Amino acid sequence: DTHTYLGPIFMYAKGMGDLPDADFARLMRPFAIQGDIYYLMKAGGTQVDDFGTDAVVSYEFYYLGHEWRGWTVPPIIQGLVPFVELTYDQIVQARYGGTQPDIRALPGLAYMTNGWQITFAGELPLNAASVQLDHTAVVAMLSLSLDKIVPAFGWNPF
């Protein structure tokens, strides 16, 4: 973007890892939800306000532990995190009015380790306004935890 945007962003997250590690609750422990809701106002230029939200539901196999029902869970499986993300984005106030909402689903799979994460997802438009911008796409992301790779980056002055 060519201008600065300012506005509130409400972020939330809740994992079920605090459930008991027994019976049916053990299968619920890997579930997590996270997301945000935002309203951003353009700080200069033509007025364009952006409203959006997204929510991600994931299942982190790590929380099943190393053994499940007598079966040893291989470390490569423990790092897998299947997820579904739903996004909504819309220009709500602009010079000539707003836009139709852009609604998308991103089903995907992540592989997490202590120092990095790689994620692949398919981006699927769910309404006509989304298809006009682009059709189905594949998204890939590599995330590095620098404080895990180089401990000096984890320094905290407080």
Side-chain angles (χ1 to χ4, degrees), residues 21 26-27 29 61-75 78:
D21 192 14
R26 182 174 193 182
L27 295 176
R29 293 182 75 222
F61 285 105
Y62 170 81
Y63 284 98
L64 290 178
H66 302 291
E67 189 173 313
W68 185 65
R69 293 189 178 206
W71 180 63
T72 301
V73 180
Q78 291 177 27

Side-chain angles (χ1 to χ4, degrees), residues 14-34 58-69 73-75 77-82 112:
K14 174 61 178 133
M16 298 301 190
D18 53 354
L19 290 175
D21 192 14
D23 302 324
F24 180 72
R26 182 174 193 182
L27 295 176
M28 298 302 294
R29 293 182 75 222
F31 276 107
I33 185 168
Q34 65 181 22
S58 64
Y59 194 83
E60 297 183 27
F61 285 105
Y62 170 81
Y63 284 98
L64 290 178
H66 302 291
E67 189 173 313
W68 185 65
R69 293 189 178 206
V73 180
I77 300 293
Q78 291 177 27
L80 291 177
V81 181
M112 294 175 30

Side-chain angles (χ1 to χ4, degrees), residues 15-141:
M16 298 301 190
D18 53 354
L19 290 175
D21 192 14
D23 302 324
F24 180 72
R26 182 174 193 182
L27 295 176
M28 298 302 294
R29 293 182 75 222
F31 276 107
I33 185 168
Q34 65 181 22
D36 58 61
I37 300 171
Y38 61 87
Y39 188 92
L40 302 175
M41 297 156 282
K42 199 170 188 183
T46 305
Q47 183 65 36
V48 178
D49 291 355
D50 188 19
F51 170 77
T53 184
D54 66 73
V56 181
V57 176
S58 64
Y59 194 83
E60 297 183 27
F61 285 105
Y62 170 81
Y63 284 98
L64 290 178
H66 302 291
E67 189 173 313
W68 185 65
R69 293 189 178 206
W71 180 63
T72 301
V73 180
I76 195 158
I77 300 293
Q78 291 177 27
L80 291 177
V81 181
F83 66 90
V84 174
E85 179 175 1
L86 297 171
T87 66
Y88 175 102
D89 190 50
Q90 182 175 13
I91 303 298
V92 292
Q93 180 180 349
R95 185 174 181 184
Y96 298 108
T99 62
Q100 293 295 316
D102 181 353
I103 304 171
R104 299 172 185 270
L106 290 95
L109 183 67
Y111 184 77
M112 294 175 30
T113 69
N114 198 24
W116 57 272
Q117 171 183 327
I118 189 162
T119 305
F120 292 96
E123 187 176 54
L124 309 171
L126 297 181
N127 65 344
S130 302
V131 172
Q132 290 176 2
L133 298 173
D134 59 49
H135 294 277
T136 303
V138 174
V139 179
M141 179 177 66

